[in-house]
Amino acid sequence: MILLPDDLRATLRANAAASLAAQARDADFDPVPVLKLFNPLGAGTWLATELLADGDTLFGLADLGFGCPELGNFSLSEIARVRLPFGLAIERDLTFETPHALSVWAGTARRAGSILWAETLLSRGQEEVR
């Protein structure tokens, strides 16, 4: 499976450019995640909003299943190299869409202890109060 098709790559790069422009103006930038990667055999989940100029570094919310989702950078190539039992690998959620900004995801995931539980809460309309 292609983890990052061209259309998502372009959207993530555009978000990175918009983020830099916002920083230059001292403005807030809080996009919605456009990419969800997950471990089909575990709790590892990544939500990305930006792809940096190197073409490998993603920015977003990462949850490795230890109860403390964190905002930060992560490497697409490292995620792509992960090999799981039964010949499986990290996958892209082909149906992922969200109306919620990254800050909402981060607050809800921290409160819930995982991105997976945050997804349940957000789908029920129980988002984190900012």
Side-chain angles (χ1 to χ4, degrees):
M1 168 184 279
I2 297 172
L3 291 180
L4 191 54
D6 291 340
D7 61 331
L8 288 179
R9 181 177 297 275
T11 302
L12 290 163
R13 287 293 304 131
N15 280 349
S19 177
L20 288 174
Q23 286 175 11
R25 296 186 320 271
D26 285 329
D28 290 332
F29 182 68
D30 192 15
V32 299
V34 296
L35 173 68
K36 177 184 174 186
L37 303 173
F38 67 96
N39 176 342
L41 298 177
T45 308
W46 300 262
L47 300 178
T49 57
E50 300 169 36
L51 177 65
L52 304 187
D54 65 8
D56 181 58
T57 305
L58 294 161
F59 176 79
L61 185 63
D63 178 4
L64 299 180
F66 301 118
C68 51
E70 301 227 355
L71 287 171
N73 294 321
F74 40 93
S75 169
L76 179 63
S77 61
E78 286 183 17
I79 291 170
R81 284 194 300 267
V82 171
R83 292 297 167 248
L84 302 167
F86 313 112
L88 295 173
I90 301 301
E91 296 183 20
R92 174 172 43 96
D93 184 337
L94 300 175
T95 64
F96 178 73
E97 290 182 4
T98 182
H100 303 288
L102 185 61
S103 63
V104 173
W105 275 98
T108 306
R110 287 179 181 140
R111 181 173 50 106
S114 75
I115 291 174
L116 297 175
W117 275 110
E119 193 165 26
T120 299
L121 292 172
L122 290 171
S123 71
R124 294 178 183 167
Q126 300 172 355
E127 69 186 63
E128 173 77 19
V129 177
R130 290 191 205 190

